[in-house]
Amino acid sequence: MASSSDVTSSADNTPANGDPVNGSEERRGRVRLRRAAVMAVPATAVAAGLAIMTAQGALGVQFAISGMPFVVTADKLEGDGFAQFGSLDHMIENSPNEGDTGGQVLVVTSVVKNGKLTNLCQSVDLGGIQLVLTAGDKGTKVNVENLAIDSDDITGNAAFNNIEIGRDASTFDKVDTRGLPGVYGQQADKVVITDLYQHNYGATAAVFKLPDLHMRFGGKGCPQ
């Protein structure tokens, strides 16, 4: 989700005469607020932690997001090994999709170590036309391993086995993906979510098997 270059000091963004650049002090204020909402540690520790944990593959999404959200729905998600924690996704500098975000999006990273999805749908709005992907809707379920998906809105009916709420995200032991030290998280042995809806910005997976895959363009996205 980030590298050491994503976390810079305010001095790097301000010229010698003190005039703000790239959107003024207000924009930098929004960025700092998002960091503060997720990471209750000093800025220097955040920078070092991001660099180390990205190198170790400990974070979920490890690329610059486009800033175009996509929707994922499923009739049912069944997962062995589950975790969630707060994080930040980053766009490229001066992304045309950053709007008033400052190039950063506050997200919840959901991790499934081994999972199955029934009737998966994914759609993205490409400016008036939807690119829609469906799979696992003809009797064979979608299979995922080490899935990490970054969302800013999630709904559904969820049931957890042996859940731990408020655990430090850097100490997870039920999944292979971890957050930064001091970040609020939760993990469980198992999760089942029916009528799943996610509004997402990025995802990674070690394995993503899509039986009966169908991709198409259309006027409507995934049903919500």
Side-chain angles (χ1 to χ4, degrees), residues 61-92:
V61 175
Q62 299 175 31
F63 50 80
I65 62 169
S66 70
M68 297 179 66
F70 59 97
V71 167
V72 169
T73 64
D75 288 350
K76 189 175 185 179
L77 164 66
E78 305 162 271
D80 291 325
F82 176 80
Q84 284 183 322
F85 58 93
S87 192
L88 286 169
D89 280 354
H90 301 261
M91 303 175 205
I92 61 171

PDB file of all heavy atoms in Angstrom, residues 61-92:
ATOM      1  N   VAL A  61      -2.393  -4.061   0.017  1.00  0.00           N
ATOM      2  CA  VAL A  61      -2.223  -3.551  -1.341  1.00  0.00           C
ATOM      3  C   VAL A  61      -0.896  -2.810  -1.427  1.00  0.00           C
ATOM      4  O   VAL A  61      -0.674  -1.845  -0.710  1.00  0.00           O
ATOM      5  CB  VAL A  61      -3.391  -2.626  -1.716  1.00  0.00           C
ATOM      6  CG1 VAL A  61      -3.163  -1.988  -3.071  1.00  0.00           C
ATOM      7  CG2 VAL A  61      -4.706  -3.405  -1.700  1.00  0.00           C
ATOM      8  N   GLN A  62      -0.010  -3.233  -2.323  1.00  0.00           N
ATOM      9  CA  GLN A  62       1.342  -2.692  -2.380  1.00  0.00           C
ATOM     10  C   GLN A  62       1.609  -1.996  -3.716  1.00  0.00           C
ATOM     11  O   GLN A  62       2.665  -2.151  -4.312  1.00  0.00           O
ATOM     12  CB  GLN A  62       2.362  -3.815  -2.161  1.00  0.00           C
ATOM     13  CG  GLN A  62       2.222  -4.494  -0.806  1.00  0.00           C
ATOM     14  CD  GLN A  62       3.158  -5.656  -0.665  1.00  0.00           C
ATOM     15  OE1 GLN A  62       4.242  -5.670  -1.219  1.00  0.00           O
ATOM     16  NE2 GLN A  62       2.756  -6.656   0.085  1.00  0.00           N
ATOM     17  N   PHE A  63       0.651  -1.219  -4.185  1.00  0.00           N
ATOM     18  CA  PHE A  63       0.836  -0.499  -5.438  1.00  0.00           C
ATOM     19  C   PHE A  63       0.063   0.808  -5.363  1.00  0.00           C
ATOM     20  O   PHE A  63      -0.802   0.981  -4.502  1.00  0.00           O
ATOM     21  CB  PHE A  63       0.357  -1.336  -6.629  1.00  0.00           C
ATOM     22  CG  PHE A  63      -1.021  -1.906  -6.465  1.00  0.00           C
ATOM     23  CD1 PHE A  63      -2.157  -1.128  -6.690  1.00  0.00           C
ATOM     24  CD2 PHE A  63      -1.205  -3.232  -6.102  1.00  0.00           C
ATOM     25  CE1 PHE A  63      -3.428  -1.647  -6.556  1.00  0.00           C
ATOM     26  CE2 PHE A  63      -2.480  -3.767  -5.959  1.00  0.00           C
ATOM     27  CZ  PHE A  63      -3.592  -2.975  -6.180  1.00  0.00           C
ATOM     28  N   ALA A  64       0.391   1.737  -6.260  1.00  0.00           N
ATOM     29  CA  ALA A  64      -0.348   2.999  -6.334  1.00  0.00           C
ATOM     30  C   ALA A  64      -1.719   2.718  -6.933  1.00  0.00           C
ATOM     31  O   ALA A  64      -1.833   2.182  -8.040  1.00  0.00           O
ATOM     32  CB  ALA A  64       0.407   4.007  -7.183  1.00  0.00           C
ATOM     33  N   ILE A  65      -2.764   3.063  -6.186  1.00  0.00           N
ATOM     34  CA  ILE A  65      -4.116   2.822  -6.686  1.00  0.00           C
ATOM     35  C   ILE A  65      -4.473   3.859  -7.757  1.00  0.00           C
ATOM     36  O   ILE A  65      -3.944   4.970  -7.766  1.00  0.00           O
ATOM     37  CB  ILE A  65      -5.146   2.856  -5.546  1.00  0.00           C
ATOM     38  CG1 ILE A  65      -5.182   4.240  -4.878  1.00  0.00           C
ATOM     39  CG2 ILE A  65      -4.860   1.760  -4.532  1.00  0.00           C
ATOM     40  CD1 ILE A  65      -6.338   4.444  -3.926  1.00  0.00           C
ATOM     41  N   SER A  66      -5.405   3.496  -8.629  1.00  0.00           N
ATOM     42  CA  SER A  66      -5.838   4.427  -9.674  1.00  0.00           C
ATOM     43  C   SER A  66      -6.709   5.542  -9.111  1.00  0.00           C
ATOM     44  O   SER A  66      -6.809   6.615  -9.699  1.00  0.00           O
ATOM     45  CB  SER A  66      -6.624   3.679 -10.750  1.00  0.00           C
ATOM     46  OG  SER A  66      -7.886   3.252 -10.244  1.00  0.00           O
ATOM     47  N   GLY A  67      -7.359   5.266  -7.973  1.00  0.00           N
ATOM     48  CA  GLY A  67      -8.314   6.217  -7.416  1.00  0.00           C
ATOM     49  C   GLY A  67      -9.717   6.029  -7.948  1.00  0.00           C
ATOM     50  O   GLY A  67     -10.637   6.730  -7.523  1.00  0.00           O
ATOM     51  N   MET A  68      -9.904   5.079  -8.862  1.00  0.00           N
ATOM     52  CA  MET A  68     -11.238   4.737  -9.355  1.00  0.00           C
ATOM     53  C   MET A  68     -11.760   3.557  -8.546  1.00  0.00           C
ATOM     54  O   MET A  68     -11.214   2.453  -8.628  1.00  0.00           O
ATOM     55  CB  MET A  68     -11.198   4.373 -10.844  1.00  0.00           C
ATOM     56  CG  MET A  68     -10.759   5.506 -11.742  1.00  0.00           C
ATOM     57  SD  MET A  68     -10.689   5.016 -13.492  1.00  0.00           S
ATOM     58  CE  MET A  68     -12.437   4.710 -13.817  1.00  0.00           C
ATOM     59  N   PRO A  69     -12.802   3.747  -7.745  1.00  0.00           N
ATOM     60  CA  PRO A  69     -13.293   2.650  -6.922  1.00  0.00           C
ATOM     61  C   PRO A  69     -14.001   1.588  -7.753  1.00  0.00           C
ATOM     62  O   PRO A  69     -14.494   1.854  -8.846  1.00  0.00           O
ATOM     63  CB  PRO A  69     -14.275   3.344  -5.969  1.00  0.00           C
ATOM     64  CG  PRO A  69     -14.755   4.534  -6.733  1.00  0.00           C
ATOM     65  CD  PRO A  69     -13.580   4.992  -7.560  1.00  0.00           C
ATOM     66  N   PHE A  70     -14.049   0.377  -7.209  1.00  0.00           N
ATOM     67  CA  PHE A  70     -14.789  -0.702  -7.844  1.00  0.00           C
ATOM     68  C   PHE A  70     -15.625  -1.427  -6.794  1.00  0.00           C
ATOM     69  O   PHE A  70     -15.297  -1.440  -5.608  1.00  0.00           O
ATOM     70  CB  PHE A  70     -13.858  -1.678  -8.575  1.00  0.00           C
ATOM     71  CG  PHE A  70     -12.821  -2.348  -7.708  1.00  0.00           C
ATOM     72  CD1 PHE A  70     -13.044  -3.625  -7.194  1.00  0.00           C
ATOM     73  CD2 PHE A  70     -11.627  -1.712  -7.418  1.00  0.00           C
ATOM     74  CE1 PHE A  70     -12.082  -4.243  -6.403  1.00  0.00           C
ATOM     75  CE2 PHE A  70     -10.664  -2.323  -6.635  1.00  0.00           C
ATOM     76  CZ  PHE A  70     -10.890  -3.595  -6.125  1.00  0.00           C
ATOM     77  N   VAL A  71     -16.715  -2.000  -7.243  1.00  0.00           N
ATOM     78  CA  VAL A  71     -17.664  -2.674  -6.362  1.00  0.00           C
ATOM     79  C   VAL A  71     -17.486  -4.175  -6.489  1.00  0.00           C
ATOM     80  O   VAL A  71     -17.299  -4.700  -7.589  1.00  0.00           O
ATOM     81  CB  VAL A  71     -19.107  -2.272  -6.723  1.00  0.00           C
ATOM     82  CG1 VAL A  71     -20.121  -3.179  -6.041  1.00  0.00           C
ATOM     83  CG2 VAL A  71     -19.364  -0.813  -6.353  1.00  0.00           C
ATOM     84  N   VAL A  72     -17.538  -4.873  -5.351  1.00  0.00           N
ATOM     85  CA  VAL A  72     -17.551  -6.332  -5.325  1.00  0.00           C
ATOM     86  C   VAL A  72     -18.757  -6.783  -4.513  1.00  0.00           C
ATOM     87  O   VAL A  72     -18.998  -6.282  -3.408  1.00  0.00           O
ATOM     88  CB  VAL A  72     -16.262  -6.907  -4.706  1.00  0.00           C
ATOM     89  CG1 VAL A  72     -16.417  -8.411  -4.437  1.00  0.00           C
ATOM     90  CG2 VAL A  72     -15.074  -6.671  -5.620  1.00  0.00           C
ATOM     91  N   THR A  73     -19.527  -7.716  -5.063  1.00  0.00           N
ATOM     92  CA  THR A  73     -20.630  -8.325  -4.332  1.00  0.00           C
ATOM     93  C   THR A  73     -20.503  -9.841  -4.425  1.00  0.00           C
ATOM     94  O   THR A  73     -19.892 -10.375  -5.360  1.00  0.00           O
ATOM     95  CB  THR A  73     -22.002  -7.890  -4.888  1.00  0.00           C
ATOM     96  OG1 THR A  73     -22.148  -8.372  -6.232  1.00  0.00           O
ATOM     97  CG2 THR A  73     -22.149  -6.375  -4.860  1.00  0.00           C
ATOM     98  N   ALA A  74     -21.080 -10.526  -3.453  1.00  0.00           N
ATOM     99  CA  ALA A  74     -21.122 -11.988  -3.465  1.00  0.00           C
ATOM    100  C   ALA A  74     -22.297 -12.437  -2.610  1.00  0.00           C
ATOM    101  O   ALA A  74     -22.609 -11.815  -1.590  1.00  0.00           O
ATOM    102  CB  ALA A  74     -19.818 -12.585  -2.945  1.00  0.00           C
ATOM    103  N   ASP A  75     -22.931 -13.529  -3.025  1.00  0.00           N
ATOM    104  CA  ASP A  75     -24.000 -14.088  -2.205  1.00  0.00           C
ATOM    105  C   ASP A  75     -23.449 -14.586  -0.874  1.00  0.00           C
ATOM    106  O   ASP A  75     -24.104 -14.465   0.166  1.00  0.00           O
ATOM    107  CB  ASP A  75     -24.687 -15.247  -2.935  1.00  0.00           C
ATOM    108  CG  ASP A  75     -25.552 -14.773  -4.090  1.00  0.00           C
ATOM    109  OD1 ASP A  75     -25.776 -13.546  -4.209  1.00  0.00           O
ATOM    110  OD2 ASP A  75     -25.981 -15.624  -4.894  1.00  0.00           O
ATOM    111  N   LYS A  76     -22.204 -15.120  -0.922  1.00  0.00           N
ATOM    112  CA  LYS A  76     -21.639 -15.678   0.306  1.00  0.00           C
ATOM    113  C   LYS A  76     -20.117 -15.708   0.218  1.00  0.00           C
ATOM    114  O   LYS A  76     -19.552 -16.074  -0.810  1.00  0.00           O
ATOM    115  CB  LYS A  76     -22.169 -17.094   0.532  1.00  0.00           C
ATOM    116  CG  LYS A  76     -21.829 -17.699   1.879  1.00  0.00           C
ATOM    117  CD  LYS A  76     -22.523 -19.066   2.023  1.00  0.00           C
ATOM    118  CE  LYS A  76     -22.323 -19.662   3.407  1.00  0.00           C
ATOM    119  NZ  LYS A  76     -23.008 -20.965   3.546  1.00  0.00           N
ATOM    120  N   LEU A  77     -19.470 -15.304   1.292  1.00  0.00           N
ATOM    121  CA  LEU A  77     -18.028 -15.444   1.472  1.00  0.00           C
ATOM    122  C   LEU A  77     -17.784 -16.349   2.665  1.00  0.00           C
ATOM    123  O   LEU A  77     -18.308 -16.107   3.761  1.00  0.00           O
ATOM    124  CB  LEU A  77     -17.369 -14.088   1.720  1.00  0.00           C
ATOM    125  CG  LEU A  77     -15.950 -14.114   2.292  1.00  0.00           C
ATOM    126  CD1 LEU A  77     -14.961 -14.713   1.297  1.00  0.00           C
ATOM    127  CD2 LEU A  77     -15.498 -12.730   2.730  1.00  0.00           C
ATOM    128  N   GLU A  78     -16.975 -17.405   2.467  1.00  0.00           N
ATOM    129  CA  GLU A  78     -16.580 -18.298   3.550  1.00  0.00           C
ATOM    130  C   GLU A  78     -15.065 -18.270   3.642  1.00  0.00           C
ATOM    131  O   GLU A  78     -14.380 -18.557   2.662  1.00  0.00           O
ATOM    132  CB  GLU A  78     -17.057 -19.725   3.270  1.00  0.00           C
ATOM    133  CG  GLU A  78     -18.554 -19.841   3.018  1.00  0.00           C
ATOM    134  CD  GLU A  78     -18.925 -21.148   2.334  1.00  0.00           C
ATOM    135  OE1 GLU A  78     -18.922 -21.167   1.081  1.00  0.00           O
ATOM    136  OE2 GLU A  78     -19.200 -22.118   3.052  1.00  0.00           O
ATOM    137  N   GLY A  79     -14.539 -17.914   4.822  1.00  0.00           N
ATOM    138  CA  GLY A  79     -13.104 -17.758   4.949  1.00  0.00           C
ATOM    139  C   GLY A  79     -12.537 -18.458   6.170  1.00  0.00           C
ATOM    140  O   GLY A  79     -13.118 -18.405   7.253  1.00  0.00           O
ATOM    141  N   ASP A  80     -11.394 -19.125   6.001  1.00  0.00           N
ATOM    142  CA  ASP A  80     -10.607 -19.678   7.101  1.00  0.00           C
ATOM    143  C   ASP A  80      -9.398 -18.784   7.290  1.00  0.00           C
ATOM    144  O   ASP A  80      -8.540 -18.681   6.401  1.00  0.00           O
ATOM    145  CB  ASP A  80     -10.147 -21.107   6.784  1.00  0.00           C
ATOM    146  CG  ASP A  80     -11.299 -22.092   6.774  1.00  0.00           C
ATOM    147  OD1 ASP A  80     -12.222 -21.914   7.584  1.00  0.00           O
ATOM    148  OD2 ASP A  80     -11.273 -23.021   5.952  1.00  0.00           O
ATOM    149  N   GLY A  81      -9.324 -18.138   8.462  1.00  0.00           N
ATOM    150  CA  GLY A  81      -8.283 -17.148   8.709  1.00  0.00           C
ATOM    151  C   GLY A  81      -8.726 -15.800   8.179  1.00  0.00           C
ATOM    152  O   GLY A  81      -8.776 -15.589   6.964  1.00  0.00           O
ATOM    153  N   PHE A  82      -9.103 -14.893   9.106  1.00  0.00           N
ATOM    154  CA  PHE A  82      -9.659 -13.603   8.699  1.00  0.00           C
ATOM    155  C   PHE A  82      -9.091 -12.509   9.585  1.00  0.00           C
ATOM    156  O   PHE A  82      -8.869 -12.692  10.780  1.00  0.00           O
ATOM    157  CB  PHE A  82     -11.182 -13.626   8.828  1.00  0.00           C
ATOM    158  CG  PHE A  82     -11.851 -12.308   8.524  1.00  0.00           C
ATOM    159  CD1 PHE A  82     -12.069 -11.920   7.220  1.00  0.00           C
ATOM    160  CD2 PHE A  82     -12.261 -11.463   9.554  1.00  0.00           C
ATOM    161  CE1 PHE A  82     -12.685 -10.705   6.928  1.00  0.00           C
ATOM    162  CE2 PHE A  82     -12.880 -10.257   9.278  1.00  0.00           C
ATOM    163  CZ  PHE A  82     -13.088  -9.872   7.959  1.00  0.00           C
ATOM    164  N   ALA A  83      -8.841 -11.332   8.992  1.00  0.00           N
ATOM    165  CA  ALA A  83      -8.361 -10.181   9.760  1.00  0.00           C
ATOM    166  C   ALA A  83      -8.797  -8.894   9.078  1.00  0.00           C
ATOM    167  O   ALA A  83      -9.032  -8.867   7.863  1.00  0.00           O
ATOM    168  CB  ALA A  83      -6.838 -10.214   9.890  1.00  0.00           C
ATOM    169  N   GLN A  84      -8.886  -7.821   9.881  1.00  0.00           N
ATOM    170  CA  GLN A  84      -9.183  -6.477   9.371  1.00  0.00           C
ATOM    171  C   GLN A  84      -8.370  -5.453  10.147  1.00  0.00           C
ATOM    172  O   GLN A  84      -8.165  -5.605  11.354  1.00  0.00           O
ATOM    173  CB  GLN A  84     -10.667  -6.141   9.513  1.00  0.00           C
ATOM    174  CG  GLN A  84     -11.571  -6.807   8.506  1.00  0.00           C
ATOM    175  CD  GLN A  84     -13.019  -6.374   8.645  1.00  0.00           C
ATOM    176  OE1 GLN A  84     -13.517  -6.186   9.744  1.00  0.00           O
ATOM    177  NE2 GLN A  84     -13.707  -6.214   7.519  1.00  0.00           N
ATOM    178  N   PHE A  85      -7.933  -4.410   9.432  1.00  0.00           N
ATOM    179  CA  PHE A  85      -7.223  -3.315  10.092  1.00  0.00           C
ATOM    180  C   PHE A  85      -7.308  -2.071   9.221  1.00  0.00           C
ATOM    181  O   PHE A  85      -7.555  -2.144   8.017  1.00  0.00           O
ATOM    182  CB  PHE A  85      -5.761  -3.673  10.370  1.00  0.00           C
ATOM    183  CG  PHE A  85      -4.954  -4.057   9.153  1.00  0.00           C
ATOM    184  CD1 PHE A  85      -4.215  -3.116   8.463  1.00  0.00           C
ATOM    185  CD2 PHE A  85      -4.951  -5.365   8.701  1.00  0.00           C
ATOM    186  CE1 PHE A  85      -3.470  -3.461   7.347  1.00  0.00           C
ATOM    187  CE2 PHE A  85      -4.211  -5.728   7.578  1.00  0.00           C
ATOM    188  CZ  PHE A  85      -3.471  -4.771   6.899  1.00  0.00           C
ATOM    189  N   GLY A  86      -7.110  -0.909   9.833  1.00  0.00           N
ATOM    190  CA  GLY A  86      -7.146   0.347   9.104  1.00  0.00           C
ATOM    191  C   GLY A  86      -5.836   0.622   8.390  1.00  0.00           C
ATOM    192  O   GLY A  86      -4.763   0.246   8.857  1.00  0.00           O
ATOM    193  N   SER A  87      -5.931   1.306   7.244  1.00  0.00           N
ATOM    194  CA  SER A  87      -4.722   1.639   6.492  1.00  0.00           C
ATOM    195  C   SER A  87      -5.006   2.800   5.547  1.00  0.00           C
ATOM    196  O   SER A  87      -6.092   3.386   5.555  1.00  0.00           O
ATOM    197  CB  SER A  87      -4.233   0.420   5.713  1.00  0.00           C
ATOM    198  OG  SER A  87      -2.945   0.637   5.201  1.00  0.00           O
ATOM    199  N   LEU A  88      -4.006   3.145   4.735  1.00  0.00           N
ATOM    200  CA  LEU A  88      -4.111   4.198   3.735  1.00  0.00           C
ATOM    201  C   LEU A  88      -3.684   3.661   2.377  1.00  0.00           C
ATOM    202  O   LEU A  88      -2.671   2.971   2.272  1.00  0.00           O
ATOM    203  CB  LEU A  88      -3.202   5.382   4.089  1.00  0.00           C
ATOM    204  CG  LEU A  88      -3.634   6.293   5.240  1.00  0.00           C
ATOM    205  CD1 LEU A  88      -2.490   7.227   5.607  1.00  0.00           C
ATOM    206  CD2 LEU A  88      -4.850   7.097   4.856  1.00  0.00           C
ATOM    207  N   ASP A  89      -4.465   3.976   1.356  1.00  0.00           N
ATOM    208  CA  ASP A  89      -4.046   3.702  -0.016  1.00  0.00           C
ATOM    209  C   ASP A  89      -3.584   5.005  -0.650  1.00  0.00           C
ATOM    210  O   ASP A  89      -4.109   6.085  -0.357  1.00  0.00           O
ATOM    211  CB  ASP A  89      -5.200   3.120  -0.828  1.00  0.00           C
ATOM    212  CG  ASP A  89      -5.390   1.635  -0.573  1.00  0.00           C
ATOM    213  OD1 ASP A  89      -4.566   1.044   0.143  1.00  0.00           O
ATOM    214  OD2 ASP A  89      -6.375   1.067  -1.084  1.00  0.00           O
ATOM    215  N   HIS A  90      -2.606   4.907  -1.548  1.00  0.00           N
ATOM    216  CA  HIS A  90      -1.972   6.076  -2.137  1.00  0.00           C
ATOM    217  C   HIS A  90      -2.107   6.051  -3.645  1.00  0.00           C
ATOM    218  O   HIS A  90      -1.915   5.020  -4.285  1.00  0.00           O
ATOM    219  CB  HIS A  90      -0.480   6.115  -1.777  1.00  0.00           C
ATOM    220  CG  HIS A  90      -0.228   6.158  -0.302  1.00  0.00           C
ATOM    221  ND1 HIS A  90       0.047   7.315   0.373  1.00  0.00           N
ATOM    222  CD2 HIS A  90      -0.215   5.174   0.628  1.00  0.00           C
ATOM    223  CE1 HIS A  90       0.210   7.053   1.659  1.00  0.00           C
ATOM    224  NE2 HIS A  90       0.054   5.750   1.835  1.00  0.00           N
ATOM    225  N   MET A  91      -2.406   7.204  -4.234  1.00  0.00           N
ATOM    226  CA  MET A  91      -2.402   7.383  -5.685  1.00  0.00           C
ATOM    227  C   MET A  91      -1.045   7.934  -6.127  1.00  0.00           C
ATOM    228  O   MET A  91      -0.239   8.349  -5.305  1.00  0.00           O
ATOM    229  CB  MET A  91      -3.504   8.362  -6.103  1.00  0.00           C
ATOM    230  CG  MET A  91      -4.897   7.968  -5.656  1.00  0.00           C
ATOM    231  SD  MET A  91      -6.132   9.244  -6.052  1.00  0.00           S
ATOM    232  CE  MET A  91      -7.368   8.883  -4.791  1.00  0.00           C
ATOM    233  N   ILE A  92      -0.817   7.930  -7.431  1.00  0.00           N
ATOM    234  CA  ILE A  92       0.383   8.570  -7.943  1.00  0.00           C
ATOM    235  C   ILE A  92       0.291  10.073  -7.692  1.00  0.00           C
ATOM    236  O   ILE A  92      -0.797  10.621  -7.480  1.00  0.00           O
ATOM    237  CB  ILE A  92       0.574   8.299  -9.450  1.00  0.00           C
ATOM    238  CG1 ILE A  92      -0.616   8.856 -10.252  1.00  0.00           C
ATOM    239  CG2 ILE A  92       0.772   6.823  -9.714  1.00  0.00           C
ATOM    240  CD1 ILE A  92      -0.404   8.819 -11.751  1.00  0.00           C
TER     241      ILE A  92
END
